[in-house]
Amino acid sequence: MSWNTFGRVLRFTTWGESHGPALGAVVDGCPPRIALSEADIQPYLDARKPGQNRFTTQRQEADLVRILSGTFEGQTTGTPISLMIENTDQRSKDYSEIAKAYRPGHADYAYDAKYGIRDYRGGGRSSARETAARVAAGAVARLVIPEVKITAYVCEIGGDAIDRNAIDYAEIGNNPFFCPDASAAKRWEEMVDTARKAGSSLGAVVECVAEGVPAGWGAPVYAKLDSDLASGMMSINAVKGVEIGDGFEAARLTGEQNADPMRPAEPGSNEGKPRFTANHAGGIAGGISTGQPVVCRVAFKPTSSILTPVDSITADGEATQVRTKGRHDPCVGIRGTPVVEAMMALVLADHKLLHRAQVG
Amino acid sequence: MSWNTFGRVLRFTTWGESHGPALGAVVDGCPPRIALSEADIQPYLDARKPGQNRFTTQRQEADLVRILSGTFEGQTTGTPISLMIENTDQRSKDYSEIAKAYRPGHADYAYDAKYGIRDYRGGGRSSARETAARVAAGAVARLVIPEVKITAYVCEIGGDAIDRNAIDYAEIGNNPFFCPDASAAKRWEEMVDTARKAGSSLGAVVECVAEGVPAGWGAPVYAKLDSDLASGMMSINAVKGVEIGDGFEAARLTGEQNADPMRPAEPGSNEGKPRFTANHAGGIAGGISTGQPVVCRVAFKPTSSILTPVDSITADGEATQVRTKGRHDPCVGIRGTPVVEAMMALVLADHKLLHRAQVG
Amino acid sequence: MSWNTFGRVLRFTTWGESHGPALGAVVDGCPPRIALSEADIQPYLDARKPGQNRFTTQRQEADLVRILSGTFEGQTTGTPISLMIENTDQRSKDYSEIAKAYRPGHADYAYDAKYGIRDYRGGGRSSARETAARVAAGAVARLVIPEVKITAYVCEIGGDAIDRNAIDYAEIGNNPFFCPDASAAKRWEEMVDTARKAGSSLGAVVECVAEGVPAGWGAPVYAKLDSDLASGMMSINAVKGVEIGDGFEAARLTGEQNADPMRPAEPGSNEGKPRFTANHAGGIAGGISTGQPVVCRVAFKPTSSILTPVDSITADGEATQVRTKGRHDPCVGIRGTPVVEAMMALVLADHKLLHRAQVG
Amino acid sequence: MSWNTFGRVLRFTTWGESHGPALGAVVDGCPPRIALSEADIQPYLDARKPGQNRFTTQRQEADLVRILSGTFEGQTTGTPISLMIENTDQRSKDYSEIAKAYRPGHADYAYDAKYGIRDYRGGGRSSARETAARVAAGAVARLVIPEVKITAYVCEIGGDAIDRNAIDYAEIGNNPFFCPDASAAKRWEEMVDTARKAGSSLGAVVECVAEGVPAGWGAPVYAKLDSDLASGMMSINAVKGVEIGDGFEAARLTGEQNADPMRPAEPGSNEGKPRFTANHAGGIAGGISTGQPVVCRVAFKPTSSILTPVDSITADGEATQVRTKGRHDPCVGIRGTPVVEAMMALVLADHKLLHRAQVG
């Protein structure tokens, strides 16, 4: 089946293929009387946009968003917000090769096995271009949670991790990798360049921190805040793993090491909320936010499109080999960073509204 | 908000608290004319049941399931299947301590912050006893997908991993750890015993493999098979991370290393389906099953209940310390294993039905 | 398919068959800290309960409800509320006749055509006993909307309508027909008695008025307040029609006749809200409540179980005739009245929470 | 809240305002490999289109639909189908009057009470222009159920009903009223003309018959086929009542009169299915189709826009009067007919897929 809607109260539906005329999102359930114009959305699309430097795909897309409904005189009205992004660089290249052979690691074979038909141009619906639509939706979601500050960054490329003591959010915008550690960014430049020139690709890990989330968001037990984050993040193209807080590392700790002690609020600070002296849990306990920063980590596999020929089969079941010459991202995790931020915003905004539905 | 239903076509709803009179699940959307009796469910509850050996909590629960609706003369009728498990060992102990102080790492504070009220007896709704209900639901789901064989096992405790070359499914039932590697099981016996005696706890990683899943299950892009698995697994108590296939390891590979080449089916075998020569993807591409085994890995944090005092606060915001003397699992990941299997079954059964809804 | 959940934020799921061990409802999403005990629910079940007078079925059911989860020390906790009602009068009668022949007007044939199996005892899942579960759920919903007063009554039996000028809510409890017009109740006594003795049956119309609903509840355009009411009411056994406000009569009016003029609030009254001088719309415009009383009317067909033989076929397709001797309601609309009230409460409570989710 | 999605497996979401740049629908869950182009949709939009004769609003809209996603080489791919219709005749008239005063009977006041903001141009989201989007979605749904033939017609205008013995489907396209009775159409011409000239309006009743629905569609008990039809029909602008089969008339019959007897299939006919000798039930029993024609009747109130001044208030609560001079339908039920057909198609297609999900 096809299931292109996400969220429970703040719901968004995306549509569109890589090489169709356009793609878009319909955001439903957004509170009314929020100032919203294209200018609130465009910067996030620009951050995700391809072709901005040599480390990403050279496809040229303006990714200009247009609001087709749901606002009046610059404010949301509470009705569905339709966002559309036209595809402009559907290069009229020859797709006959992809049409016939399954690209290993891509969704080609799976889509054919499922639907018996497949828009093979650029991956069709399975293309990461879909994420432009959710980045647009995410920009709307951000306006629903002005109290929250979301920051995502690449913390690892090809196994080379940042120095956690060197994290400086101000650095994130200073390099083409969304890297908060200037010296890691330097190393990655060479790594990604080498991979790019060799027609190879690299995996990456993206970390996302949401500050300002109050205690109490989350819907146990099947819409836990972490469950919904896991679902949202895993739905991003090329993602193979999701961690909350210490994640898999927590499985290697003892109970003592993993404890998040609590202390009373200091006088006059923090509105009487408890002070945690550690955050192994990543800001979520029992599926509900604790008031600490919500921390999530997402693993992106290396792009499957590589120059080295890989064994494959044709749609007719004949042996063949596939090598990808065209434009593509040597490390999809990089441009995945704004997408991770968007999903964090969408999940949190949904849970803010869910929380006030039940608790007021 | 509270959100206790999971699934899209095969939906189940769980209810019940740790120390209430009972807990249960209502399974809706199950196909008719499937042979079903309590005997089909009980073995899975028995596998999860507490108090079976010294490595799990000493709470004594028979965990006997009763089918209250949805079957007639031993067959499902297509109507909702109500499953109930009575709580029998709600030890009349004194909960005044938990009532007042927040147990660090538990959901106590988060529930109070959210709801302003909390059934503090044994964790109430946030207790892992809820997983008994989903194990029961999972047993029904298994009957919906007889073509699939699901096997989960603990592959790591406290950082000590099994030898992947020594995996022998036949060993899983031979030790109290659901461990497929006999010599790892031996080591873990001492590790867990030491932790238990010290009132400490250990984390664990559970791996789950589903064989026989045909190509084509999964609902892109917001009900991808892997998204739903991530959501379902992350909703299990104490889980902090989920991986599909190589997971975070994939982020450290190059595109060449991570490739899953395809070869034509060998004559006379596999009904003409392609043969993959690797499975880094864990059987899922573009959110859709590929026909390879579906592989998922789940990280359980160490139990938060430990004997060592941890700083905390009272409900009134006063400083205190909490140490847990009572019965609890020194390594929750162990008894989490049948729960992981159940969630795998529930997600796959839902997607089998979703697939035939759209594609027939 | 089977779909036994209703609601969007305040969701309830019912389960159970006419002659199974029990039936019940799980109410999810209820706000926390609402005082709730069995005593809040039982009176509504008692009002619906069979066997209370000669005008309803003689099946004897205590219909005692038990709360199995979701409350703590007499208050809701925000977790799912499981309600169970045991069946006690599953008379061990011989069902072999129903097992073989389809009762015309009942769901027997349709269930068999759909599921290929059917619990024929008393209609199984298609029995109106299911409505006991929603009456219990509705009692919880009422506590979520204390500002609303819901009153349902029978306004017509067998084509004999009440005098609208004689409506006196105080009369509703004074007769076995939930009739607000004492003289109509008198007439109906004879009508229903005659039908009962003849083994015949009568249809009825139930009207339901909700006072105190503030302006603003309703979720355009596919969860309009009237759409959800229509869905909820039509799901009640034997219901064949639903009207909001003037309903079908509105289709016979001109725009002038159907107008609901508005006047400014009178000084010092009604908190500045407008005053409507008519209510043809039944309190709903554009799917959103206007602050006027919400008015809904529901048509119940006559019970299909009658003494006169009706042509039918057996499960094997052979010609037969069916006449129903057993206990049944000669006019199901009567006992449908508390069910209509419950559905009104459930829809309104859901929309109160939905409204505050989006608008705060 | 805003809730603009309908359906469970075949889901569609609509967006757009009366005077925004465009409106549209996203249809999700449609089976793959169905031939689909704009030409399959346009005729249904043309049937609903305004400005075609003097009996409907004079707004001029081409209502040209464009498919933006979900098809490839003329076939559906199983991915979301995005349909867009641009608004072309958003006459730049002066809306200052509507902006200030609430039009009685319209959703103006309710939207303001709910959202605190309102796109007053032509009713914004509450305008019946939204129904263009669902007519487009409905055209896709029809392709999912080629076995079903859906026919809707106006059976009553202003209280003047057709002669049921004179129903001739061939007549429906021969008059501007979708009237199957030629002589009634003649009478209505004068009636509607008189109302139009007087600036008055008339209500109408639309009947819809679906032939070819097999027995077994419907999802008891909260997605019964009739519940979903009631919900879908009631969500259409100006609808105040829904009936299935005999509807309210059934409430006036005895059990004997209301019986739908069954006879064995005649040899060689009807594939062994039973033959019903009456259809009071409208083809649905227990929420499941019986194989008879599904019959639904829908009451449309008279258009609230009339020339006669009606008492109202301004947004500031001051007394005023409103009279509507502009273009509008004197009888909205007429153009509601293609919308009723579309909703019937959407509900049936959803239930066809739901049925095969559970039963195969």
Side-chain angles (χ1 to χ4, degrees):
Chain A
M1 160 134 4
S2 170
W3 203 286
N4 294 275
T5 298
F6 187 91
R8 290 173 169 82
V9 166
L10 185 75
R11 282 148 287 120
F12 70 97
T13 301
T14 70
W15 55 269
E17 276 83 37
S18 172
H19 284 59
L23 45 87
V26 183
V27 181
D28 201 7
C30 181
R33 298 189 310 278
I34 295 177
L36 174 68
S37 74
E38 278 89 352
D40 296 301
I41 302 172
Q42 198 58 51
Y44 299 102
L45 284 170
D46 291 347
R48 181 206 157 278
K49 185 165 75 170
Q52 303 190 86
N53 54 59
R54 70 181 188 277
F55 305 106
T56 61
T57 171
Q58 292 311 299
R59 176 168 176 168
Q60 296 297 327
E61 286 289 350
D63 276 354
L64 290 177
V65 69
R66 203 174 150 211
I67 300 176
L68 295 175
S69 70
T71 60
F72 184 61
E73 298 181 345
Q75 288 199 299
T76 59
T77 58
T79 62
I81 301 164
S82 178
L83 307 170
M84 185 167 74
I85 299 159
E86 288 187 60
N87 285 324
T88 55
D89 187 14
Q90 313 115 288
R91 195 175 289 193
S92 59
K93 82 168 206 184
D94 183 9
Y95 285 101
S96 57
E97 212 169 303
I98 305 182
K100 285 182 301 190
Y102 295 129
R103 294 169 302 160
H106 283 277
D108 300 353
Y109 168 69
Y111 266 69
D112 244 13
K114 181 175 196 68
Y115 297 116
I117 184 176
R118 164 172 69 99
D119 180 348
Y120 45 73
R121 299 166 306 161
R125 181 70 184 154
S126 73
S127 164
R129 259 201 82 60
E130 185 272 344
T131 61
R134 49 178 124 177
V135 165
V140 177
R142 284 169 196 267
L143 302 175
V144 177
I145 46 167
E147 65 271 57
V148 178
K149 187 184 161 228
I150 299 173
T151 313
Y153 42 85
V154 179
C155 62
E156 193 180 320
I157 287 186
D160 181 22
I162 58 170
D163 175 358
R164 301 209 143 257
N165 297 316
I167 290 181
D168 177 2
Y169 285 5
E171 282 298 323
I172 295 172
N174 290 341
N175 60 73
F177 305 110
F178 301 104
C179 178
D181 166 0
S183 70
K186 198 123 209 120
R187 301 193 304 270
W188 295 351
E189 198 166 320
E190 200 184 306
M191 283 174 61
V192 179
D193 235 2
T194 306
R196 182 179 62 84
K197 286 175 189 163
S200 180
S201 63
L202 297 168
V205 177
V206 174
E207 188 164 276
C208 187
V209 179
E211 293 162 285
V213 178
W217 293 0
V221 299
Y222 294 112
K224 285 177 172 172
L225 189 53
D226 35 1
S227 300
D228 279 4
L229 282 171
S231 167
M233 298 302 174
M234 197 66 96
S235 75
I236 301 172
N237 306 54
V239 169
K240 301 303 286 185
V242 182
E243 295 182 319
I244 303 296
D246 283 7
F248 277 84
E249 190 53 35
R252 283 132 207 164
L253 301 178
T254 63
E256 293 77 16
Q257 293 163 331
N258 191 54
D260 290 328
M262 298 170 82
R263 295 285 72 192
E266 261 143 27
S269 81
N270 202 20
E271 306 170 47
K273 280 162 199 150
R275 192 164 43 87
F276 289 85
T277 57
N279 188 16
H280 297 281
I284 303 175
I288 302 173
S289 61
T290 61
Q292 291 196 282
V294 172
V295 182
C296 180
R297 225 166 2 266
V298 180
F300 287 84
K301 68 174 184 180
T303 320
S304 300
S305 303
I306 51 175
L307 208 55
T308 306
V310 180
D311 280 354
S312 188
I313 59 171
T314 66
D316 300 326
E318 301 300 314
T320 185
Q321 282 200 323
V322 172
R323 61 196 293 265
T324 309
K325 280 154 291 185
R327 48 194 192 171
H328 68 266
D329 286 279
C331 176
V332 279
I334 299 169
R335 283 178 56 226
T337 308
V339 186
V340 166
E341 277 198 3
M343 290 309 304
M344 176 66 86
L346 286 156
V347 169
L348 290 175
D350 190 30
H351 275 281
K352 176 182 179 174
L353 302 190
L354 269 170
H355 179 69
R356 78 181 182 198
Q358 189 179 21
V359 183
Chain B
M1 163 139 1
S2 170
W3 205 286
N4 294 276
T5 299
F6 187 91
R8 289 173 170 82
V9 166
L10 185 74
R11 283 148 288 122
F12 70 97
T13 301
T14 70
W15 54 269
E17 275 82 36
S18 170
H19 284 60
L23 44 87
V26 182
V27 181
D28 201 8
C30 181
R33 298 188 310 277
I34 295 177
L36 174 68
S37 73
E38 278 89 352
D40 295 301
I41 303 172
Q42 198 59 50
Y44 299 102
L45 284 170
D46 291 347
R48 181 207 156 276
K49 186 164 76 171
Q52 302 190 88
N53 54 58
R54 70 180 188 279
F55 305 106
T56 61
T57 172
Q58 292 311 297
R59 178 170 175 168
Q60 295 297 326
E61 286 290 349
D63 276 353
L64 290 176
V65 67
R66 204 174 150 212
I67 299 175
L68 295 177
S69 70
T71 61
F72 184 60
E73 298 181 344
Q75 287 199 303
T76 59
T77 59
T79 63
I81 301 165
S82 178
L83 306 170
M84 186 168 73
I85 300 159
E86 289 188 61
N87 285 324
T88 54
D89 188 13
Q90 314 113 290
R91 196 174 288 190
S92 58
K93 86 167 202 184
D94 183 8
Y95 284 100
S96 56
E97 214 170 302
I98 306 183
K100 286 182 301 189
Y102 295 130
R103 294 169 302 160
H106 284 277
D108 300 353
Y109 169 69
Y111 266 68
D112 244 12
K114 182 175 194 69
Y115 296 116
I117 185 176
R118 162 173 70 99
D119 180 348
Y120 45 73
R121 298 168 305 162
R125 180 68 182 156
S126 73
S127 163
R129 259 200 83 58
E130 186 272 344
T131 61
R134 49 178 123 178
V135 166
V140 176
R142 284 169 194 267
L143 302 175
V144 177
I145 45 168
E147 64 271 56
V148 178
K149 184 182 164 230
I150 299 173
T151 314
Y153 43 85
V154 179
C155 62
E156 191 179 321
I157 286 185
D160 181 23
I162 57 169
D163 175 358
R164 299 209 145 257
N165 297 316
I167 290 181
D168 177 1
Y169 285 5
E171 281 298 322
I172 296 171
N174 290 341
N175 59 71
F177 305 109
F178 300 104
C179 179
D181 166 0
S183 70
K186 196 126 211 119
R187 300 194 305 271
W188 293 352
E189 195 164 324
E190 200 185 307
M191 282 175 61
V192 180
D193 234 4
T194 305
R196 180 179 64 82
K197 286 176 188 162
S200 181
S201 64
L202 296 168
V205 178
V206 174
E207 188 165 275
C208 186
V209 179
E211 294 162 286
V213 178
W217 293 0
V221 296
Y222 295 112
K224 284 178 171 172
L225 189 53
D226 35 0
S227 299
D228 279 4
L229 281 171
S231 169
M233 298 302 175
M234 197 66 95
S235 75
I236 301 173
N237 306 53
V239 169
K240 302 303 288 184
V242 182
E243 295 182 319
I244 303 295
D246 282 8
F248 277 82
E249 191 53 34
R252 282 133 207 166
L253 302 178
T254 64
E256 294 75 16
Q257 293 164 330
N258 192 55
D260 290 328
M262 297 169 82
R263 295 285 74 193
E266 262 143 27
S269 81
N270 202 20
E271 305 170 46
K273 278 163 201 146
R275 191 164 45 85
F276 289 86
T277 59
N279 188 16
H280 297 281
I284 302 175
I288 302 174
S289 60
T290 60
Q292 290 195 281
V294 172
V295 181
C296 180
R297 224 163 7 264
V298 181
F300 287 84
K301 69 175 183 179
T303 319
S304 300
S305 304
I306 51 174
L307 208 56
T308 306
V310 181
D311 280 352
S312 188
I313 59 170
T314 65
D316 300 327
E318 301 299 313
T320 186
Q321 282 201 322
V322 171
R323 62 195 293 264
T324 309
K325 279 154 290 184
R327 47 194 191 172
H328 68 266
D329 286 279
C331 175
V332 280
I334 300 169
R335 282 178 56 225
T337 308
V339 185
V340 167
E341 277 198 3
M343 289 309 304
M344 176 66 87
L346 287 157
V347 169
L348 290 175
D350 190 28
H351 275 280
K352 175 182 180 175
L353 304 190
L354 269 170
H355 179 69
R356 77 181 183 198
Q358 188 179 22
V359 183
Chain C
M1 161 138 1
S2 170
W3 205 285
N4 295 276
T5 298
F6 187 91
R8 290 174 168 82
V9 166
L10 185 74
R11 282 149 288 121
F12 71 96
T13 302
T14 69
W15 54 269
E17 276 82 37
S18 172
H19 285 60
L23 45 86
V26 182
V27 182
D28 201 6
C30 181
R33 299 189 311 277
I34 294 177
L36 174 68
S37 74
E38 278 89 350
D40 295 302
I41 303 172
Q42 199 59 50
Y44 298 102
L45 284 170
D46 291 347
R48 182 206 156 279
K49 186 166 75 170
Q52 301 190 85
N53 55 58
R54 71 180 186 278
F55 304 106
T56 62
T57 170
Q58 293 311 299
R59 178 169 174 168
Q60 296 297 326
E61 285 289 350
D63 276 353
L64 290 176
V65 68
R66 203 173 151 211
I67 300 175
L68 295 176
S69 70
T71 61
F72 183 60
E73 298 181 344
Q75 289 198 300
T76 59
T77 59
T79 62
I81 301 165
S82 178
L83 306 170
M84 185 168 74
I85 299 160
E86 290 187 60
N87 285 325
T88 54
D89 187 14
Q90 314 113 290
R91 196 175 287 190
S92 57
K93 83 167 204 186
D94 183 9
Y95 284 100
S96 56
E97 213 169 303
I98 306 183
K100 287 183 299 190
Y102 294 131
R103 294 170 301 160
H106 283 278
D108 299 353
Y109 168 69
Y111 267 68
D112 243 14
K114 181 174 196 69
Y115 297 116
I117 184 176
R118 163 173 69 100
D119 180 349
Y120 45 73
R121 299 167 306 161
R125 182 65 183 157
S126 73
S127 163
R129 258 199 85 57
E130 186 272 344
T131 61
R134 51 177 122 178
V135 165
V140 176
R142 284 168 194 269
L143 301 175
V144 176
I145 45 167
E147 64 272 55
V148 178
K149 186 183 162 228
I150 299 172
T151 312
Y153 43 86
V154 179
C155 62
E156 192 179 322
I157 287 185
D160 181 23
I162 57 169
D163 176 358
R164 297 206 148 260
N165 297 315
I167 291 181
D168 177 2
Y169 284 7
E171 281 299 321
I172 296 172
N174 289 341
N175 60 72
F177 305 109
F178 299 104
C179 178
D181 167 359
S183 70
K186 197 126 210 119
R187 299 193 305 270
W188 294 351
E189 197 166 323
E190 200 184 308
M191 283 174 60
V192 180
D193 234 4
T194 304
R196 181 180 62 82
K197 286 176 189 160
S200 180
S201 63
L202 297 168
V205 178
V206 174
E207 188 164 274
C208 186
V209 179
E211 293 162 286
V213 178
W217 292 0
V221 296
Y222 296 112
K224 285 178 172 172
L225 189 52
D226 34 1
S227 299
D228 279 6
L229 282 172
S231 168
M233 298 302 173
M234 197 67 95
S235 76
I236 301 173
N237 306 55
V239 170
K240 301 304 286 185
V242 181
E243 296 182 318
I244 303 297
D246 282 8
F248 277 84
E249 191 51 35
R252 282 133 206 166
L253 302 179
T254 64
E256 294 76 16
Q257 293 164 331
N258 191 53
D260 291 328
M262 298 170 82
R263 295 285 74 191
E266 261 143 28
S269 82
N270 202 21
E271 306 171 45
K273 280 163 199 146
R275 191 164 44 87
F276 290 86
T277 58
N279 188 17
H280 297 282
I284 302 174
I288 303 174
S289 60
T290 60
Q292 290 196 281
V294 172
V295 181
C296 180
R297 224 163 4 266
V298 180
F300 287 84
K301 69 174 184 182
T303 320
S304 300
S305 304
I306 50 174
L307 208 56
T308 305
V310 180
D311 279 354
S312 187
I313 59 170
T314 67
D316 300 327
E318 302 299 314
T320 185
Q321 282 201 322
V322 171
R323 61 195 292 265
T324 309
K325 279 155 290 185
R327 47 194 190 171
H328 67 266
D329 286 279
C331 175
V332 280
I334 299 170
R335 283 176 57 224
T337 308
V339 185
V340 167
E341 277 199 4
M343 290 309 303
M344 175 67 87
L346 287 157
V347 169
L348 290 175
D350 190 28
H351 275 279
K352 176 181 180 175
L353 303 189
L354 269 170
H355 179 70
R356 78 183 183 198
Q358 188 180 21
V359 183
Chain D
M1 160 140 3
S2 170
W3 203 286
N4 295 276
T5 299
F6 187 92
R8 290 175 168 81
V9 166
L10 184 75
R11 283 148 287 120
F12 70 98
T13 302
T14 70
W15 54 270
E17 276 82 36
S18 171
H19 284 60
L23 45 87
V26 183
V27 181
D28 200 7
C30 181
R33 299 190 309 280
I34 294 177
L36 174 69
S37 74
E38 279 88 353
D40 295 301
I41 303 173
Q42 199 58 52
Y44 298 103
L45 284 169
D46 291 347
R48 179 206 158 278
K49 187 166 73 170
Q52 302 191 87
N53 54 58
R54 70 180 188 277
F55 305 107
T56 62
T57 171
Q58 292 311 300
R59 179 170 175 166
Q60 295 297 327
E61 287 289 351
D63 277 355
L64 290 176
V65 68
R66 203 173 151 214
I67 300 175
L68 296 176
S69 70
T71 61
F72 183 62
E73 297 181 345
Q75 289 198 300
T76 60
T77 59
T79 63
I81 301 163
S82 179
L83 306 170
M84 185 166 73
I85 300 160
E86 288 188 63
N87 285 325
T88 53
D89 187 13
Q90 314 115 289
R91 195 173 289 191
S92 60
K93 82 167 204 186
D94 183 9
Y95 284 101
S96 56
E97 213 170 302
I98 306 183
K100 287 183 299 190
Y102 294 130
R103 294 170 301 160
H106 283 279
D108 299 353
Y109 168 69
Y111 267 68
D112 244 13
K114 181 175 195 69
Y115 297 117
I117 184 174
R118 162 173 72 98
D119 180 347
Y120 45 73
R121 299 167 305 161
R125 180 68 182 154
S126 72
S127 164
R129 259 199 84 59
E130 186 272 345
T131 60
R134 48 178 124 178
V135 165
V140 177
R142 284 169 195 268
L143 302 175
V144 177
I145 45 169
E147 64 271 56
V148 178
K149 185 184 163 229
I150 299 173
T151 313
Y153 44 85
V154 179
C155 62
E156 191 179 321
I157 287 186
D160 182 24
I162 57 170
D163 175 358
R164 301 210 143 256
N165 297 316
I167 291 181
D168 176 2
Y169 285 6
E171 282 298 322
I172 295 172
N174 290 341
N175 59 73
F177 305 109
F178 300 104
C179 179
D181 166 1
S183 69
K186 199 123 207 121
R187 299 192 305 268
W188 294 351
E189 198 165 321
E190 200 185 306
M191 281 174 62
V192 179
D193 235 3
T194 305
R196 181 180 60 83
K197 287 175 189 164
S200 181
S201 63
L202 297 168
V205 177
V206 174
E207 188 164 274
C208 187
V209 179
E211 294 163 284
V213 177
W217 292 1
V221 295
Y222 294 112
K224 285 177 171 173
L225 189 53
D226 35 0
S227 300
D228 279 4
L229 282 172
S231 168
M233 298 302 173
M234 196 66 94
S235 76
I236 301 172
N237 305 54
V239 170
K240 302 302 287 184
V242 182
E243 295 182 318
I244 303 297
D246 283 7
F248 277 84
E249 191 53 35
R252 282 134 207 164
L253 302 178
T254 63
E256 292 76 16
Q257 293 163 331
N258 191 54
D260 289 330
M262 300 170 79
R263 295 285 75 192
E266 259 142 29
S269 82
N270 201 19
E271 304 170 47
K273 278 163 201 148
R275 190 165 45 87
F276 289 86
T277 57
N279 188 15
H280 298 281
I284 303 174
I288 303 173
S289 60
T290 60
Q292 291 195 282
V294 172
V295 182
C296 179
R297 223 163 7 264
V298 180
F300 286 84
K301 69 174 183 182
T303 319
S304 300
S305 303
I306 51 175
L307 208 55
T308 306
V310 181
D311 280 352
S312 186
I313 58 171
T314 67
D316 300 328
E318 301 300 313
T320 187
Q321 282 200 322
V322 172
R323 60 196 294 263
T324 309
K325 279 154 290 186
R327 48 195 192 172
H328 68 265
D329 286 279
C331 176
V332 280
I334 299 169
R335 284 178 56 227
T337 308
V339 186
V340 166
E341 277 199 3
M343 290 308 306
M344 176 66 88
L346 287 157
V347 169
L348 290 175
D350 190 29
H351 275 280
K352 176 182 179 174
L353 303 190
L354 268 170
H355 179 69
R356 78 182 183 198
Q358 189 180 19
V359 183

